[in-house]
Amino acid sequence: MAPQTAKKSGKAQKQTKKFIINASQPAGDKIFDVAAFEKFLQERIKVEGRTGNLGDNVQIRQVGDGKIEIVAHNDLSGRYLKYLTKKFLKKQQLRDWLRVVSTSRGVYELKFFNVVNDDADEDDE
């Protein structure tokens, strides 16, 4: 039994994860600054418990129109990126209009809340 546990405690495999945060819809309406969000992520993402410690482990770059790509060579989670995105929206006072939705594995999208039923809400009062 002991030799099997020795194999598990060996050096962990390097894993590469790719995340995309798609903010093209609010960026197209000019209410979301993608460059400021990219800077925010570079300042706030923690690597080994310290901010500003990205080094070669995490690359953040803007791709296309309103999309940010994060390539991580460590155990960065999508939940953490969603948390940071929500924090940025709160700071920019956009949290009331935008939400972060995972459309597929590793892809997060900023979408507007649906406010179609305004007339029905007024009738209820």
Side-chain angles (χ1 to χ4, degrees):
M1 288 276 175
Q4 290 176 345
T5 57
K7 288 180 184 177
K8 289 181 183 176
S9 64
K11 193 170 185 180
Q13 288 283 342
K14 262 201 166 180
Q15 57 198 28
T16 301
K17 292 183 181 177
K18 183 178 173 183
F19 299 98
I20 294 176
I21 299 175
N22 184 358
S24 55
Q25 188 180 10
D29 292 342
K30 294 184 176 34
I31 66 164
F32 188 81
D33 187 5
V34 180
F37 180 55
E38 181 182 6
K39 184 174 184 269
F40 177 83
L41 287 176
Q42 287 175 345
E43 292 172 354
R44 297 293 175 107
I45 289 180
K46 287 186 177 182
V47 177
E48 296 172 4
R50 294 174 50 202
T51 57
N53 190 22
L54 295 182
D56 294 335
N57 289 333
V58 179
Q59 287 94 30
I60 302 169
R61 62 190 176 106
Q62 198 170 334
V63 290
D65 212 23
K67 291 184 182 179
I68 292 186
E69 179 183 72
I70 299 115
V71 179
H73 301 293
N74 62 357
D75 58 344
L76 187 70
S77 73
R79 281 265 186 209
Y80 182 56
L81 291 175
K82 186 174 180 178
Y83 161 76
L84 287 175
T85 305
K86 286 179 177 182
K87 196 168 184 166
F88 180 78
L89 290 174
K90 179 79 171 175
K91 184 179 175 187
Q92 300 295 319
Q93 297 173 346
L94 296 172
R95 188 81 174 94
D96 294 336
W97 291 281
L98 295 172
R99 64 188 188 137
V100 185
V101 179
S102 175
T103 54
S104 64
R105 186 175 181 95
V107 178
Y108 293 90
E109 193 169 328
L110 295 179
K111 293 187 175 185
F112 288 102
F113 281 112
N114 289 337
V115 285
V116 177
N117 297 333
D118 285 343
D119 296 333
D121 291 341
E122 291 173 6
D123 292 341
D124 292 341
E125 292 176 8

mmCIF file of all heavy atoms in Angstrom, residues 66-108:
data_model
loop_
_atom_site.group_PDB
_atom_site.id
_atom_site.type_symbol
_atom_site.label_atom_id
_atom_site.label_comp_id
_atom_site.label_asym_id
_atom_site.label_seq_id
_atom_site.Cartn_x
_atom_site.Cartn_y
_atom_site.Cartn_z
ATOM 1 N N GLY A 66 -14.399 42.864 -27.533
ATOM 2 C CA GLY A 66 -14.999 42.721 -26.218
ATOM 3 C C GLY A 66 -14.811 41.369 -25.570
ATOM 4 O O GLY A 66 -15.563 40.997 -24.683
ATOM 5 N N LYS A 67 -13.821 40.597 -25.999
ATOM 6 C CA LYS A 67 -13.553 39.294 -25.391
ATOM 7 C C LYS A 67 -12.195 39.314 -24.719
ATOM 8 O O LYS A 67 -11.243 39.864 -25.248
ATOM 9 C CB LYS A 67 -13.573 38.182 -26.443
ATOM 10 C CG LYS A 67 -14.930 37.898 -27.011
ATOM 11 C CD LYS A 67 -14.890 36.739 -27.966
ATOM 12 C CE LYS A 67 -16.257 36.484 -28.571
ATOM 13 N NZ LYS A 67 -16.240 35.379 -29.512
ATOM 14 N N ILE A 68 -12.136 38.679 -23.550
ATOM 15 C CA ILE A 68 -10.879 38.549 -22.825
ATOM 16 C C ILE A 68 -10.591 37.073 -22.666
ATOM 17 O O ILE A 68 -11.468 36.298 -22.259
ATOM 18 C CB ILE A 68 -10.949 39.258 -21.463
ATOM 19 C CG1 ILE A 68 -11.041 40.761 -21.690
ATOM 20 C CG2 ILE A 68 -9.761 38.909 -20.613
ATOM 21 C CD1 ILE A 68 -10.973 41.586 -20.467
ATOM 22 N N GLU A 69 -9.363 36.693 -22.985
ATOM 23 C CA GLU A 69 -8.936 35.298 -22.888
ATOM 24 C C GLU A 69 -7.931 35.176 -21.751
ATOM 25 O O GLU A 69 -6.982 35.950 -21.679
ATOM 26 C CB GLU A 69 -8.309 34.870 -24.208
ATOM 27 C CG GLU A 69 -7.812 33.450 -24.203
ATOM 28 C CD GLU A 69 -7.128 33.082 -25.504
ATOM 29 O OE1 GLU A 69 -6.017 33.572 -25.743
ATOM 30 O OE2 GLU A 69 -7.723 32.304 -26.263
ATOM 31 N N ILE A 70 -8.159 34.223 -20.873
ATOM 32 C CA ILE A 70 -7.260 33.955 -19.758
ATOM 33 C C ILE A 70 -6.731 32.539 -19.935
ATOM 34 O O ILE A 70 -7.512 31.594 -19.995
ATOM 35 C CB ILE A 70 -7.975 34.100 -18.399
ATOM 36 C CG1 ILE A 70 -8.481 35.526 -18.222
ATOM 37 C CG2 ILE A 70 -7.037 33.746 -17.262
ATOM 38 C CD1 ILE A 70 -9.939 35.645 -18.161
ATOM 39 N N VAL A 71 -5.410 32.412 -20.046
ATOM 40 C CA VAL A 71 -4.771 31.109 -20.158
ATOM 41 C C VAL A 71 -3.981 30.904 -18.871
ATOM 42 O O VAL A 71 -3.085 31.685 -18.554
ATOM 43 C CB VAL A 71 -3.844 31.027 -21.385
ATOM 44 C CG1 VAL A 71 -3.177 29.674 -21.450
ATOM 45 C CG2 VAL A 71 -4.632 31.292 -22.654
ATOM 46 N N ALA A 72 -4.334 29.866 -18.127
ATOM 47 C CA ALA A 72 -3.713 29.610 -16.826
ATOM 48 C C ALA A 72 -2.987 28.276 -16.852
ATOM 49 O O ALA A 72 -3.527 27.280 -17.317
ATOM 50 C CB ALA A 72 -4.768 29.598 -15.731
ATOM 51 N N HIS A 73 -1.762 28.273 -16.362
ATOM 52 C CA HIS A 73 -0.973 27.043 -16.252
ATOM 53 C C HIS A 73 -0.943 26.555 -14.808
ATOM 54 O O HIS A 73 -0.019 25.869 -14.397
ATOM 55 C CB HIS A 73 0.458 27.284 -16.754
ATOM 56 C CG HIS A 73 0.500 27.732 -18.183
ATOM 57 N ND1 HIS A 73 0.121 26.925 -19.236
ATOM 58 C CD2 HIS A 73 0.842 28.919 -18.726
ATOM 59 C CE1 HIS A 73 0.257 27.593 -20.366
ATOM 60 N NE2 HIS A 73 0.683 28.811 -20.084
ATOM 61 N N ASN A 74 -1.936 26.943 -14.043
ATOM 62 C CA ASN A 74 -2.071 26.484 -12.655
ATOM 63 C C ASN A 74 -3.542 26.174 -12.404
ATOM 64 O O ASN A 74 -4.329 26.105 -13.330
ATOM 65 C CB ASN A 74 -1.530 27.541 -11.680
ATOM 66 C CG ASN A 74 -2.285 28.857 -11.751
ATOM 67 O OD1 ASN A 74 -3.176 29.008 -12.566
ATOM 68 N ND2 ASN A 74 -1.923 29.791 -10.924
ATOM 69 N N ASP A 75 -3.912 26.018 -11.154
ATOM 70 C CA ASP A 75 -5.281 25.593 -10.827
ATOM 71 C C ASP A 75 -6.218 26.787 -10.632
ATOM 72 O O ASP A 75 -6.859 26.909 -9.610
ATOM 73 C CB ASP A 75 -5.274 24.672 -9.609
ATOM 74 C CG ASP A 75 -4.647 25.335 -8.401
ATOM 75 O OD1 ASP A 75 -3.960 26.356 -8.580
ATOM 76 O OD2 ASP A 75 -4.836 24.830 -7.281
ATOM 77 N N LEU A 76 -6.313 27.640 -11.626
ATOM 78 C CA LEU A 76 -7.241 28.761 -11.604
ATOM 79 C C LEU A 76 -8.641 28.230 -11.913
ATOM 80 O O LEU A 76 -8.807 27.416 -12.813
ATOM 81 C CB LEU A 76 -6.825 29.792 -12.656
ATOM 82 C CG LEU A 76 -7.584 31.106 -12.667
ATOM 83 C CD1 LEU A 76 -7.235 31.921 -11.432
ATOM 84 C CD2 LEU A 76 -7.236 31.894 -13.909
ATOM 85 N N SER A 77 -9.635 28.689 -11.161
ATOM 86 C CA SER A 77 -10.991 28.171 -11.372
ATOM 87 C C SER A 77 -11.864 29.204 -12.074
ATOM 88 O O SER A 77 -11.659 30.412 -11.955
ATOM 89 C CB SER A 77 -11.625 27.783 -10.034
ATOM 90 O OG SER A 77 -11.964 28.936 -9.305
ATOM 91 N N GLY A 78 -12.847 28.695 -12.778
ATOM 92 C CA GLY A 78 -13.803 29.553 -13.449
ATOM 93 C C GLY A 78 -14.667 30.312 -12.463
ATOM 94 O O GLY A 78 -15.068 31.451 -12.711
ATOM 95 N N ARG A 79 -14.949 29.685 -11.340
ATOM 96 C CA ARG A 79 -15.736 30.348 -10.288
ATOM 97 C C ARG A 79 -15.030 31.604 -9.791
ATOM 98 O O ARG A 79 -15.667 32.616 -9.509
ATOM 99 C CB ARG A 79 -15.929 29.397 -9.096
ATOM 100 C CG ARG A 79 -16.985 28.392 -9.336
ATOM 101 C CD ARG A 79 -18.241 28.932 -8.755
ATOM 102 N NE ARG A 79 -19.307 27.957 -8.822
ATOM 103 C CZ ARG A 79 -20.559 28.322 -8.908
ATOM 104 N NH1 ARG A 79 -20.881 29.568 -8.946
ATOM 105 N NH2 ARG A 79 -21.490 27.421 -8.947
ATOM 106 N N TYR A 80 -13.702 31.521 -9.674
ATOM 107 C CA TYR A 80 -12.920 32.667 -9.213
ATOM 108 C C TYR A 80 -13.000 33.803 -10.230
ATOM 109 O O TYR A 80 -13.139 34.973 -9.855
ATOM 110 C CB TYR A 80 -11.474 32.237 -8.975
ATOM 111 C CG TYR A 80 -10.579 33.321 -8.441
ATOM 112 C CD1 TYR A 80 -10.893 33.992 -7.267
ATOM 113 C CD2 TYR A 80 -9.415 33.675 -9.112
ATOM 114 C CE1 TYR A 80 -10.078 34.989 -6.781
ATOM 115 C CE2 TYR A 80 -8.588 34.665 -8.625
ATOM 116 C CZ TYR A 80 -8.923 35.324 -7.462
ATOM 117 O OH TYR A 80 -8.114 36.314 -6.978
ATOM 118 N N LEU A 81 -12.952 33.480 -11.519
ATOM 119 C CA LEU A 81 -13.063 34.504 -12.551
ATOM 120 C C LEU A 81 -14.460 35.126 -12.549
ATOM 121 O O LEU A 81 -14.616 36.325 -12.751
ATOM 122 C CB LEU A 81 -12.750 33.917 -13.920
ATOM 123 C CG LEU A 81 -11.296 33.525 -14.130
ATOM 124 C CD1 LEU A 81 -11.125 32.844 -15.471
ATOM 125 C CD2 LEU A 81 -10.382 34.722 -14.023
ATOM 126 N N LYS A 82 -15.477 34.303 -12.315
ATOM 127 C CA LYS A 82 -16.841 34.816 -12.232
ATOM 128 C C LYS A 82 -16.977 35.766 -11.038
ATOM 129 O O LYS A 82 -17.578 36.835 -11.153
ATOM 130 C CB LYS A 82 -17.831 33.657 -12.107
ATOM 131 C CG LYS A 82 -19.277 34.066 -12.169
ATOM 132 C CD LYS A 82 -20.193 32.865 -12.188
ATOM 133 C CE LYS A 82 -21.641 33.289 -12.260
ATOM 134 N NZ LYS A 82 -22.562 32.160 -12.328
ATOM 135 N N TYR A 83 -16.366 35.398 -9.916
ATOM 136 C CA TYR A 83 -16.375 36.232 -8.720
ATOM 137 C C TYR A 83 -15.708 37.579 -9.004
ATOM 138 O O TYR A 83 -16.240 38.632 -8.651
ATOM 139 C CB TYR A 83 -15.666 35.488 -7.586
ATOM 140 C CG TYR A 83 -15.209 36.358 -6.446
ATOM 141 C CD1 TYR A 83 -16.110 36.837 -5.509
ATOM 142 C CD2 TYR A 83 -13.869 36.716 -6.316
ATOM 143 C CE1 TYR A 83 -15.693 37.641 -4.467
ATOM 144 C CE2 TYR A 83 -13.448 37.515 -5.281
ATOM 145 C CZ TYR A 83 -14.356 37.982 -4.359
ATOM 146 O OH TYR A 83 -13.935 38.792 -3.341
ATOM 147 N N LEU A 84 -14.539 37.553 -9.654
ATOM 148 C CA LEU A 84 -13.825 38.792 -9.960
ATOM 149 C C LEU A 84 -14.607 39.656 -10.951
ATOM 150 O O LEU A 84 -14.616 40.884 -10.843
ATOM 151 C CB LEU A 84 -12.428 38.491 -10.502
ATOM 152 C CG LEU A 84 -11.416 38.000 -9.478
ATOM 153 C CD1 LEU A 84 -10.115 37.625 -10.165
ATOM 154 C CD2 LEU A 84 -11.154 39.035 -8.408
ATOM 155 N N THR A 85 -15.284 39.012 -11.896
ATOM 156 C CA THR A 85 -16.094 39.756 -12.862
ATOM 157 C C THR A 85 -17.240 40.463 -12.154
ATOM 158 O O THR A 85 -17.524 41.638 -12.414
ATOM 159 C CB THR A 85 -16.638 38.819 -13.955
ATOM 160 O OG1 THR A 85 -15.546 38.122 -14.547
ATOM 161 C CG2 THR A 85 -17.392 39.581 -15.014
ATOM 162 N N LYS A 86 -17.896 39.759 -11.234
ATOM 163 C CA LYS A 86 -18.982 40.367 -10.466
ATOM 164 C C LYS A 86 -18.466 41.527 -9.621
ATOM 165 O O LYS A 86 -19.131 42.554 -9.479
ATOM 166 C CB LYS A 86 -19.639 39.334 -9.554
ATOM 167 C CG LYS A 86 -20.503 38.345 -10.264
ATOM 168 C CD LYS A 86 -21.077 37.378 -9.249
ATOM 169 C CE LYS A 86 -22.020 36.390 -9.844
ATOM 170 N NZ LYS A 86 -22.591 35.504 -8.814
ATOM 171 N N LYS A 87 -17.282 41.368 -9.064
ATOM 172 C CA LYS A 87 -16.666 42.423 -8.249
ATOM 173 C C LYS A 87 -16.395 43.664 -9.093
ATOM 174 O O LYS A 87 -16.623 44.790 -8.650
ATOM 175 C CB LYS A 87 -15.375 41.880 -7.644
ATOM 176 C CG LYS A 87 -14.836 42.680 -6.517
ATOM 177 C CD LYS A 87 -13.747 41.902 -5.809
ATOM 178 C CE LYS A 87 -13.294 42.694 -4.608
ATOM 179 N NZ LYS A 87 -12.514 41.922 -3.690
ATOM 180 N N PHE A 88 -15.923 43.464 -10.321
ATOM 181 C CA PHE A 88 -15.677 44.584 -11.223
ATOM 182 C C PHE A 88 -16.983 45.284 -11.591
ATOM 183 O O PHE A 88 -17.050 46.520 -11.618
ATOM 184 C CB PHE A 88 -14.959 44.105 -12.482
ATOM 185 C CG PHE A 88 -14.677 45.201 -13.474
ATOM 186 C CD1 PHE A 88 -13.632 46.077 -13.269
ATOM 187 C CD2 PHE A 88 -15.457 45.351 -14.607
ATOM 188 C CE1 PHE A 88 -13.368 47.093 -14.172
ATOM 189 C CE2 PHE A 88 -15.199 46.359 -15.515
ATOM 190 C CZ PHE A 88 -14.156 47.237 -15.296
ATOM 191 N N LEU A 89 -18.033 44.504 -11.869
ATOM 192 C CA LEU A 89 -19.325 45.086 -12.211
ATOM 193 C C LEU A 89 -19.875 45.916 -11.053
ATOM 194 O O LEU A 89 -20.446 46.985 -11.255
ATOM 195 C CB LEU A 89 -20.327 43.995 -12.598
ATOM 196 C CG LEU A 89 -20.063 43.278 -13.924
ATOM 197 C CD1 LEU A 89 -21.050 42.133 -14.091
ATOM 198 C CD2 LEU A 89 -20.140 44.227 -15.083
ATOM 199 N N LYS A 90 -19.692 45.422 -9.842
ATOM 200 C CA LYS A 90 -20.149 46.150 -8.655
ATOM 201 C C LYS A 90 -19.395 47.467 -8.518
ATOM 202 O O LYS A 90 -19.977 48.516 -8.229
ATOM 203 C CB LYS A 90 -19.938 45.267 -7.420
ATOM 204 C CG LYS A 90 -20.350 45.886 -6.127
ATOM 205 C CD LYS A 90 -21.837 45.825 -5.934
ATOM 206 C CE LYS A 90 -22.184 46.262 -4.529
ATOM 207 N NZ LYS A 90 -23.615 46.330 -4.337
ATOM 208 N N LYS A 91 -18.080 47.411 -8.757
ATOM 209 C CA LYS A 91 -17.239 48.605 -8.649
ATOM 210 C C LYS A 91 -17.633 49.657 -9.684
ATOM 211 O O LYS A 91 -17.621 50.851 -9.407
ATOM 212 C CB LYS A 91 -15.774 48.198 -8.838
ATOM 213 C CG LYS A 91 -14.780 49.299 -8.667
ATOM 214 C CD LYS A 91 -13.375 48.778 -8.844
ATOM 215 C CE LYS A 91 -12.374 49.898 -8.797
ATOM 216 N NZ LYS A 91 -11.024 49.442 -9.132
ATOM 217 N N GLN A 92 -18.008 49.206 -10.883
ATOM 218 C CA GLN A 92 -18.409 50.107 -11.965
ATOM 219 C C GLN A 92 -19.899 50.464 -11.913
ATOM 220 O O GLN A 92 -20.397 51.139 -12.809
ATOM 221 C CB GLN A 92 -18.091 49.467 -13.323
ATOM 222 C CG GLN A 92 -16.639 49.152 -13.533
ATOM 223 C CD GLN A 92 -15.780 50.393 -13.589
ATOM 224 O OE1 GLN A 92 -16.165 51.385 -14.194
ATOM 225 N NE2 GLN A 92 -14.632 50.342 -12.964
ATOM 226 N N GLN A 93 -20.604 49.975 -10.901
ATOM 227 C CA GLN A 93 -22.042 50.195 -10.708
ATOM 228 C C GLN A 93 -22.852 49.687 -11.910
ATOM 229 O O GLN A 93 -23.817 50.295 -12.346
ATOM 230 C CB GLN A 93 -22.347 51.665 -10.438
ATOM 231 C CG GLN A 93 -21.700 52.146 -9.168
ATOM 232 C CD GLN A 93 -21.849 53.629 -8.950
ATOM 233 O OE1 GLN A 93 -22.206 54.365 -9.845
ATOM 234 N NE2 GLN A 93 -21.566 54.062 -7.730
ATOM 235 N N LEU A 94 -22.450 48.526 -12.426
ATOM 236 C CA LEU A 94 -23.158 47.888 -13.535
ATOM 237 C C LEU A 94 -23.834 46.597 -13.113
ATOM 238 O O LEU A 94 -24.458 45.928 -13.925
ATOM 239 C CB LEU A 94 -22.175 47.582 -14.672
ATOM 240 C CG LEU A 94 -21.517 48.763 -15.345
ATOM 241 C CD1 LEU A 94 -20.434 48.308 -16.297
ATOM 242 C CD2 LEU A 94 -22.549 49.606 -16.072
ATOM 243 N N ARG A 95 -23.715 46.238 -11.850
ATOM 244 C CA ARG A 95 -24.216 44.958 -11.360
ATOM 245 C C ARG A 95 -25.733 44.857 -11.452
ATOM 246 O O ARG A 95 -26.289 43.780 -11.552
ATOM 247 C CB ARG A 95 -23.737 44.768 -9.909
ATOM 248 C CG ARG A 95 -24.009 43.430 -9.303
ATOM 249 C CD ARG A 95 -22.978 42.399 -9.736
ATOM 250 N NE ARG A 95 -23.207 41.164 -9.011
ATOM 251 C CZ ARG A 95 -23.939 40.169 -9.485
ATOM 252 N NH1 ARG A 95 -24.497 40.252 -10.654
ATOM 253 N NH2 ARG A 95 -24.104 39.078 -8.787
ATOM 254 N N ASP A 96 -26.429 46.012 -11.460
ATOM 255 C CA ASP A 96 -27.883 46.009 -11.543
ATOM 256 C C ASP A 96 -28.384 45.706 -12.951
ATOM 257 O O ASP A 96 -29.541 45.337 -13.137
ATOM 258 C CB ASP A 96 -28.450 47.355 -11.103
ATOM 259 C CG ASP A 96 -28.197 47.615 -9.632
ATOM 260 O OD1 ASP A 96 -28.020 46.634 -8.878
ATOM 261 O OD2 ASP A 96 -28.162 48.793 -9.225
ATOM 262 N N TRP A 97 -27.516 45.885 -13.972
ATOM 263 C CA TRP A 97 -27.950 45.704 -15.354
ATOM 264 C C TRP A 97 -27.333 44.488 -16.027
ATOM 265 O O TRP A 97 -27.874 44.001 -16.996
ATOM 266 C CB TRP A 97 -27.605 46.946 -16.175
ATOM 267 C CG TRP A 97 -28.431 48.118 -15.759
ATOM 268 C CD1 TRP A 97 -29.717 48.387 -16.102
ATOM 269 C CD2 TRP A 97 -28.038 49.165 -14.875
ATOM 270 N NE1 TRP A 97 -30.146 49.535 -15.495
ATOM 271 C CE2 TRP A 97 -29.127 50.045 -14.728
ATOM 272 C CE3 TRP A 97 -26.872 49.454 -14.188
ATOM 273 C CZ2 TRP A 97 -29.084 51.170 -13.948
ATOM 274 C CZ3 TRP A 97 -26.826 50.583 -13.397
ATOM 275 C CH2 TRP A 97 -27.931 51.430 -13.284
ATOM 276 N N LEU A 98 -26.180 44.040 -15.547
ATOM 277 C CA LEU A 98 -25.482 42.939 -16.199
ATOM 278 C C LEU A 98 -25.358 41.749 -15.263
ATOM 279 O O LEU A 98 -25.264 41.912 -14.047
ATOM 280 C CB LEU A 98 -24.070 43.375 -16.629
ATOM 281 C CG LEU A 98 -24.001 44.449 -17.701
ATOM 282 C CD1 LEU A 98 -22.563 44.900 -17.877
ATOM 283 C CD2 LEU A 98 -24.550 43.932 -19.009
ATOM 284 N N ARG A 99 -25.330 40.562 -15.855
ATOM 285 C CA ARG A 99 -25.088 39.352 -15.086
ATOM 286 C C ARG A 99 -24.070 38.496 -15.825
ATOM 287 O O ARG A 99 -23.895 38.617 -17.037
ATOM 288 C CB ARG A 99 -26.369 38.579 -14.841
ATOM 289 C CG ARG A 99 -27.031 38.057 -16.081
ATOM 290 C CD ARG A 99 -28.393 37.482 -15.758
ATOM 291 N NE ARG A 99 -28.942 36.822 -16.935
ATOM 292 C CZ ARG A 99 -29.551 35.665 -16.890
ATOM 293 N NH1 ARG A 99 -29.707 35.044 -15.755
ATOM 294 N NH2 ARG A 99 -30.023 35.124 -17.987
ATOM 295 N N VAL A 100 -23.401 37.632 -15.082
ATOM 296 C CA VAL A 100 -22.373 36.768 -15.640
ATOM 297 C C VAL A 100 -22.968 35.376 -15.775
ATOM 298 O O VAL A 100 -23.409 34.781 -14.796
ATOM 299 C CB VAL A 100 -21.127 36.730 -14.731
ATOM 300 C CG1 VAL A 100 -20.023 35.930 -15.389
ATOM 301 C CG2 VAL A 100 -20.655 38.133 -14.406
ATOM 302 N N VAL A 101 -22.979 34.858 -17.015
ATOM 303 C CA VAL A 101 -23.594 33.567 -17.306
ATOM 304 C C VAL A 101 -22.556 32.675 -17.969
ATOM 305 O O VAL A 101 -21.835 33.114 -18.865
ATOM 306 C CB VAL A 101 -24.805 33.737 -18.256
ATOM 307 C CG1 VAL A 101 -25.434 32.395 -18.573
ATOM 308 C CG2 VAL A 101 -25.819 34.667 -17.656
ATOM 309 N N SER A 102 -22.481 31.434 -17.513
ATOM 310 C CA SER A 102 -21.591 30.473 -18.151
ATOM 311 C C SER A 102 -22.344 29.838 -19.311
ATOM 312 O O SER A 102 -23.327 29.130 -19.116
ATOM 313 C CB SER A 102 -21.159 29.406 -17.146
ATOM 314 O OG SER A 102 -20.395 28.432 -17.785
ATOM 315 N N THR A 103 -21.875 30.086 -20.534
ATOM 316 C CA THR A 103 -22.558 29.551 -21.707
ATOM 317 C C THR A 103 -22.055 28.160 -22.062
ATOM 318 O O THR A 103 -22.804 27.347 -22.575
ATOM 319 C CB THR A 103 -22.397 30.487 -22.907
ATOM 320 O OG1 THR A 103 -21.010 30.741 -23.105
ATOM 321 C CG2 THR A 103 -23.126 31.792 -22.661
ATOM 322 N N SER A 104 -20.796 27.886 -21.801
ATOM 323 C CA SER A 104 -20.240 26.549 -21.984
ATOM 324 C C SER A 104 -19.018 26.431 -21.072
ATOM 325 O O SER A 104 -18.673 27.374 -20.376
ATOM 326 C CB SER A 104 -19.865 26.292 -23.443
ATOM 327 O OG SER A 104 -18.838 27.158 -23.845
ATOM 328 N N ARG A 105 -18.356 25.291 -21.116
ATOM 329 C CA ARG A 105 -17.234 25.064 -20.210
ATOM 330 C C ARG A 105 -16.101 26.047 -20.504
ATOM 331 O O ARG A 105 -15.560 26.080 -21.600
ATOM 332 C CB ARG A 105 -16.737 23.634 -20.366
ATOM 333 C CG ARG A 105 -15.689 23.260 -19.371
ATOM 334 C CD ARG A 105 -15.323 21.792 -19.505
ATOM 335 N NE ARG A 105 -14.337 21.418 -18.537
ATOM 336 C CZ ARG A 105 -14.613 20.877 -17.368
ATOM 337 N NH1 ARG A 105 -15.851 20.648 -17.031
ATOM 338 N NH2 ARG A 105 -13.641 20.567 -16.537
ATOM 339 N N GLY A 106 -15.777 26.871 -19.508
ATOM 340 C CA GLY A 106 -14.685 27.822 -19.652
ATOM 341 C C GLY A 106 -15.059 29.103 -20.360
ATOM 342 O O GLY A 106 -14.204 29.943 -20.602
ATOM 343 N N VAL A 107 -16.337 29.278 -20.700
ATOM 344 C CA VAL A 107 -16.773 30.491 -21.387
ATOM 345 C C VAL A 107 -17.832 31.181 -20.535
ATOM 346 O O VAL A 107 -18.846 30.589 -20.179
ATOM 347 C CB VAL A 107 -17.358 30.169 -22.786
ATOM 348 C CG1 VAL A 107 -17.854 31.436 -23.463
ATOM 349 C CG2 VAL A 107 -16.324 29.475 -23.633
ATOM 350 N N TYR A 108 -17.564 32.438 -20.202
ATOM 351 C CA TYR A 108 -18.505 33.247 -19.436
ATOM 352 C C TYR A 108 -18.919 34.429 -20.286
ATOM 353 O O TYR A 108 -18.112 35.000 -21.010
ATOM 354 C CB TYR A 108 -17.875 33.728 -18.124
ATOM 355 C CG TYR A 108 -17.608 32.591 -17.171
ATOM 356 C CD1 TYR A 108 -16.403 31.914 -17.180
ATOM 357 C CD2 TYR A 108 -18.582 32.172 -16.288
ATOM 358 C CE1 TYR A 108 -16.172 30.849 -16.323
ATOM 359 C CE2 TYR A 108 -18.369 31.114 -15.425
ATOM 360 C CZ TYR A 108 -17.155 30.467 -15.448
ATOM 361 O OH TYR A 108 -16.933 29.410 -14.612
#
